[in-house]
Amino acid sequence: MACSWTFLWLLWIAMVAVLLFFLRGPLKISESLESVSATSYFNNLTPKFYVALTGTSSLVSGIILIFEWWYFKNNAGVEQGEDEGSDNEESIDNPKTVPECKVWRNPMALFRAAEYNRFRKETNSEPLTYYDMNLSAQDHQSLFMCDEDQGRAEYEIMQVAWRERESEQRIQTARAALAINSECASALVLLAEEDTETVAQAENVLRRALRAIENTLSTYSNNQIASYGQNGDTVRKRDLTIQTYIKRRLAMCARKQGRLREAIKGFRDLSREQSLSTLLSVQDNLIEACLEVQAYADVQNLLVRYDGYGTSCSYDQREPRSAAMSYTSALLKVRAVAENFRCPSESSVRRGLSSAEQTAIEALTRAMEFNPHVPPYLLEIRAMIMPPEHFLKRGDSEALAYAFFHIQHWKRIDGALQLLSIVWKDFVPKVNKDTHAFSSQLESADKELLPAWHEQSAFPQTESTLGMLIQTFACLAICILAVLSQQVPSSYGEMLRQLVTSGVQMYENSMNTFSQWAPNNIIPYLASKPVSVPEI
């Protein structure tokens, strides 16, 4: 914007210079400069000069006012948020200030070796960023480590393993911990995530880790817990967290291999433990598995339980907890009316919308207001990539995390994507006008989570600086030409004829140069010998 304002001032100065040059005759500038008396200069000015001067100054003032209003409208909210964040240190922890920039674990994250690394080997592209993997390492340290592990060699080694940047170093360090204690569950979890080639192999290692952690929990006694000191209970809580994590990953293995009943049973058992299931967001896994078996009544009950959908409080006035919750609730409402939009005809449009259809459209609109990045992926307008291990709510990363696993559920319902496309076309102009709904901080934070080769989705979609400069230059050029044509029509006509003549001469010269360079029979030669395409 600073560069654009600089160019605007330069264009204004150039416009004034051009006007003075072309009006040097009517204004008698040369005679006025030769005259010594300033009084005679002002007396010789005609009323046309004052009219032109007033019109030009009003025009320039109006243009500057319009651009100042446009700049304030698009950047006032962002600047105000940045000023408040710099003045108040507590705003970082205030959810009303930066609720969008908190990083959340992806409960549907893929296996590092069995899935992410296979993609990297096939495409030679990194599916994860170092920032994303570093956040996962911090999560594993907080889940699998505690202060009471000091003095236990295998756990001290695992603290080093989670901090290693390269995968090979982490694997070697985890094997060193297993050499000390073959029942080290955290080491087995690391190997299952990063040292297996298939999901079935990862499942086998996780089952071994589950047996190890269950044996550890069964051998706990009050004396053993007391031996760890005043915080001895934290060791048991840590082991329970590891057990819950392993069971969740085992249920995900069953889901990936088509054992849906086993996966749903595993997720349901974990969801009964409120504290740990909420920490790991097991409800998202359970909702996706129920959608796969088309248990829509169970999905409705889960939405009531976890998102308050359908309770006594007004859901329309509450902000959804995630894109998965908002778009799943919208999908259930769309499912009831999707058959009317399989092949939308003119008669169905003319008859108007029923109450159920209006409810479905409102649910889709609320979901798009929460995260407008999701529909382009569901409609396959944008290319899909593998989801990151963490995401930002209302960001492109959350849209990928949802669409990667739920696009098949939308395709299964005939007419759902057609209705989504209709609502999306009407919603795009609205979201582009709402410049305060999504901050630039969210977009910059998403860049750290998504690979550099991914074309990031951004809303609102603003015009580039070059395009704005071209439009401004064209507007000023039209204004200058209008003033010249009004004040000096004879000189303006002569100048226009010269420009047209120069353009025609340049065209003729370029065509003559091309005809001299290219052979005369180039067109018949290309027409007689078409280019042959080799068969594959």
Side-chain angles (χ1 to χ4, degrees), residues 9 28 43 82 103 106 142 180 233 250 291 308 310 314 346 362 366 393 452 466 480 485 496 507 518 529:
W9 281 111
K28 302 179 180 180
N43 291 332
E82 293 176 354
V103 180
N106 183 7
S142 62
I180 298 175
D233 193 45
L250 283 173
L291 287 174
S314 177
E346 295 182 359
E362 291 175 358
R366 286 196 302 269
K393 287 187 177 181
L466 179 60
I480 293 173
S485 62
L496 185 61
Y507 174 76
K529 292 185 178 181

Side-chain angles (χ1 to χ4, degrees), residues 14 25 45 102 237 281 347 349 355 358 398 411 451 461 477 489 530:
L45 294 178
K102 181 180 178 181
K237 291 181 179 179
S281 300
S347 59
V349 176
S355 59
Q358 291 179 356
E398 184 189 27
K411 289 184 176 181
Q461 298 176 354

Side-chain angles (χ1 to χ4, degrees), residues 11 15 23 44 51 102 122 144 190 195 203-204 210 255 258 274 306 313 316 371 401 429 466 500 520:
L11 289 174
M15 182 182 67
L23 297 177
N44 293 330
V51 174
K102 181 180 178 181
E122 292 292 334
F144 302 154
L190 190 148
D195 194 31
E203 183 180 11
N204 294 331
L210 181 62
R255 166 68 183 90
Q274 293 291 334
Y306 291 105
C313 61
D316 297 343
N371 194 325
L466 179 60
V500 173
N520 296 328

Side-chain angles (χ1 to χ4, degrees), residues 36 59 62 92 100 117 167 187 199 214 224 302 313 385 479:
V36 180
L59 175 64
I92 298 177
E100 306 161 346
N117 284 353
S167 178
V199 176
E214 288 178 346
Q224 289 177 336
L302 291 172
C313 61
I385 66 170
C479 294

Side-chain angles (χ1 to χ4, degrees), residues 192-432:
E193 296 283 348
E194 302 194 25
D195 194 31
T196 54
E197 296 182 356
T198 61
V199 176
Q201 294 179 3
E203 183 180 11
N204 294 331
V205 179
L206 287 173
R207 291 190 183 280
R208 179 184 169 187
L210 181 62
R211 290 193 298 268
I213 197 64
E214 288 178 346
N215 293 334
T216 302
L217 290 171
S218 62
T219 57
Y220 277 140
S221 63
N222 294 331
N223 294 331
Q224 289 177 336
I225 295 177
S227 64
Y228 289 104
Q230 297 180 354
N231 298 326
D233 193 45
T234 59
V235 178
R236 180 177 177 83
K237 291 181 179 179
R238 189 274 314 275
D239 292 339
L240 289 174
T241 302
I242 296 177
Q243 183 187 33
T244 303
Y245 180 89
I246 295 173
K247 287 183 178 180
R248 198 270 296 272
R249 297 301 271 179
L250 283 173
M252 293 178 66
C253 290
R255 166 68 183 90
K256 294 176 184 295
Q257 298 180 76
R259 305 195 304 270
L260 298 177
R261 292 185 178 179
E262 179 183 347
I264 293 175
K265 183 180 182 300
F267 292 136
R268 287 190 184 279
D269 294 340
L270 292 174
S271 63
R272 295 188 179 95
E273 302 176 5
Q274 293 291 334
S275 59
L276 294 178
S277 63
T278 303
L279 176 65
L280 300 176
S281 300
V282 180
Q283 63 273 9
D284 290 348
N285 302 93
L286 181 57
I287 289 175
E288 195 278 329
C290 291
L291 287 174
E292 181 63 21
V293 298
Q294 303 182 30
Y296 298 109
D298 295 338
V299 175
Q300 177 71 31
N301 295 332
L302 291 172
L303 292 176
V304 172
R305 178 180 177 183
Y306 291 105
D307 202 35
Y309 173 74
T311 57
S312 57
C313 61
S314 177
Y315 181 78
D316 297 343
Q317 299 177 357
R318 296 178 62 251
E319 182 175 319
R321 295 180 58 182
S322 63
M325 295 291 183
S326 58
Y327 278 91
T328 301
S329 62
L331 178 62
L332 296 182
K333 295 180 180 180
V334 169
R335 174 177 170 269
V337 298
E339 60 181 3
N340 299 332
F341 295 91
R342 293 178 183 176
C343 296
S345 58
E346 295 182 359
S347 59
S348 61
V349 176
R350 289 175 182 174
R351 65 176 173 81
L353 297 175
S354 63
S355 59
E357 292 172 347
Q358 291 179 356
T359 303
I361 292 175
E362 291 175 358
L364 285 174
T365 304
R366 286 196 302 269
M368 293 177 186
E369 289 175 350
F370 181 79
N371 194 325
H373 306 279
V374 175
Y377 292 109
L378 294 178
L379 298 173
E380 297 180 312
I381 300 174
R382 296 182 59 84
M384 186 88 68
I385 66 170
M386 303 190 80
E389 294 181 342
H390 294 79
F391 61 82
L392 293 169
K393 287 187 177 181
R394 309 189 72 186
D396 190 22
S397 53
E398 184 189 27
L400 284 167
Y402 171 79
F404 187 85
F405 297 97
H406 288 261
I407 186 174
Q408 55 186 344
H409 308 316
W410 285 82
K411 289 184 176 181
R412 185 179 295 117
I413 301 175
D414 293 337
L417 292 178
Q418 286 81 349
L419 179 56
L420 178 65
S421 176
I422 295 173
V423 179
W424 173 245
K425 291 179 181 178
D426 295 335
F427 183 78
V428 169
K430 299 178 182 178
V431 72
N432 284 331

Side-chain angles (χ1 to χ4, degrees), residues 415-454:
L417 292 178
Q418 286 81 349
L419 179 56
L420 178 65
S421 176
I422 295 173
V423 179
W424 173 245
K425 291 179 181 178
D426 295 335
F427 183 78
V428 169
K430 299 178 182 178
V431 72
N432 284 331
K433 292 180 180 179
D434 191 1
T435 58
H436 300 290
F438 301 91
S439 63
S440 58
Q441 297 177 355
L442 179 63
E443 182 180 351
S444 59
D446 252 342
K447 291 181 180 179
E448 300 293 333
L449 293 173
L450 299 174
W453 48 268
H454 170 65

Side-chain angles (χ1 to χ4, degrees), residues 452-473:
W453 48 268
H454 170 65
E455 183 181 356
Q456 185 178 354
S457 175
F459 286 98
Q461 298 176 354
T462 57
E463 297 180 358
S464 62
T465 305
L466 179 60
M468 291 188 295
L469 291 177
I470 293 175
Q471 294 177 5
T472 304
F473 179 76

